[in-house]
Amino acid sequence: DAGITQSPRHKVTETGTPVTLRCHQTENHRYMYWYRQDPGHGLRLIHYSYGVKDTDKGEVSDGYSVSRSKTEDFLLTLESATSSQTSVYFCASQRGRAGDTQYFGPGTRLTVL
Amino acid sequence: AQSVTQPDIHITVSEGASLELRCNYSYGATPYLFWYVQSPGQGLQLLLKYFSGDTLVQGIKGFEAEFKRSQSSFNLRKPSVHWSDAAEYFCAVGAYSGAGSYQLTFGKGTKLSVIP
């Protein structure tokens, strides 16, 4: 499996505070993705990156921003966390070609009180 | 835009019984199709994928899936379920977005429970 790590693995924060989640991959994959997983909704794409400094919005991007300054790191920021952003967040990476396997990290459980 | 439907939210089978999980997709061109499995508290692991060639694909852990273009389906099967197969299963379709970048769209998942 690809080496994808996420940090932190668990976080509890309060409404209105900024939060940054980190995804790190060691496979030199071109594509990286952030998803959120909520009961009854499956995985929904928040943002993705198709190269360093190249990012685009996914299905549920409102309230989130991302940055990718290095191939291996993809950061997800909640500028002002809300209770509706309580979720499990997964990062994934993919080498590049359509049809390539997308590898997932272990997830970050975020609770916004 | 592409979409995926998994009609069954929860399925319960007895250990040793056969299994079929349904997946229907919507996409205008030849799709890239995937099945992932997620054990409790874990990330997603790829079971198998299809994008061309033989419409019956074999995956890990004894799973297989059949692509049927006429039915827009990609159902996952296993002839004999083991207790360790209890997990949530996600079907996904890969496609290029309007911006020209590639992404996966997931179904909402089917949770599999196995009775000993």
Side-chain angles (χ1 to χ4, degrees):
Chain A
D1 285 344
I4 302 177
T5 57
Q6 295 184 230
S7 59
R9 294 292 314 279
H10 302 271
K11 186 172 182 65
V12 179
T13 191
E14 294 190 350
T15 298
T17 59
V19 176
T20 295
L21 307 182
R22 179 178 184 250
C23 178
H24 180 78
Q25 55 106 350
T26 59
E27 302 297 319
N28 200 35
H29 285 172
R30 178 186 175 192
Y31 282 81
M32 296 186 75
Y33 304 82
W34 277 108
Y35 297 90
R36 60 177 291 172
Q37 183 177 30
D38 304 288
H41 290 276
L43 276 82
R44 293 181 290 174
L45 182 64
I46 305 171
H47 281 281
Y48 62 98
S49 169
Y50 48 95
V52 173
K53 300 190 188 302
D54 292 322
T55 65
D56 204 350
K57 297 178 180 180
E59 177 188 357
V60 290
S61 59
D62 287 349
Y64 302 94
S65 63
V66 290
S67 66
R68 192 172 179 198
S69 59
K70 297 186 291 184
T71 298
E72 59 266 34
D73 291 325
F74 192 33
L75 303 181
L76 177 70
T77 298
L78 292 66
E79 300 291 347
S80 178
T82 68
S83 59
S84 65
Q85 293 175 313
T86 293
S87 187
V88 180
Y89 292 85
F90 286 98
C91 174
S93 73
Q94 178 176 329
R95 184 175 57 182
R97 291 184 309 167
D100 281 348
T101 299
Q102 202 166 107
Y103 295 93
F104 284 79
T108 294
R109 182 173 296 276
L110 176 67
T111 302
V112 184
L113 301 176
Chain B
Q2 64 271 22
S3 65
V4 177
T5 302
Q6 294 181 244
D8 304 305
I9 296 173
H10 190 183
I11 285 182
T12 300
V13 301
S14 298
E15 191 169 17
S18 63
L19 172 69
E20 182 169 34
L21 302 183
R22 296 183 290 164
C23 172
N24 293 98
Y25 69 90
S26 174
Y27 184 58
T30 300
Y32 299 93
L33 294 165
F34 304 81
W35 274 101
Y36 282 84
V37 60
Q38 183 183 32
S39 298
Q42 305 295 313
L44 278 72
Q45 180 184 23
L46 180 72
L47 283 175
L48 46 79
K49 62 182 179 181
Y50 169 82
F51 51 91
S52 66
D54 192 345
T55 57
L56 184 64
V57 293
Q58 303 297 320
I60 62 171
K61 305 185 180 186
F63 286 91
E64 66 178 25
E66 185 172 14
F67 170 60
K68 293 185 177 180
R69 184 186 302 276
S70 62
Q71 299 177 18
S72 297
S73 69
F74 189 55
N75 295 347
L76 182 71
R77 301 194 294 248
K78 187 170 185 178
S80 178
V81 170
H82 188 262
W83 63 266
S84 60
D85 293 324
E88 192 157 18
Y89 293 79
F90 293 92
C91 181
V93 58
Y96 285 96
S97 69
S101 296
Y102 178 83
Q103 58 186 263
L104 292 184
T105 299
F106 286 85
K108 295 183 178 182
T110 298
K111 184 176 181 180
L112 174 66
S113 297
V114 180
I115 301 173

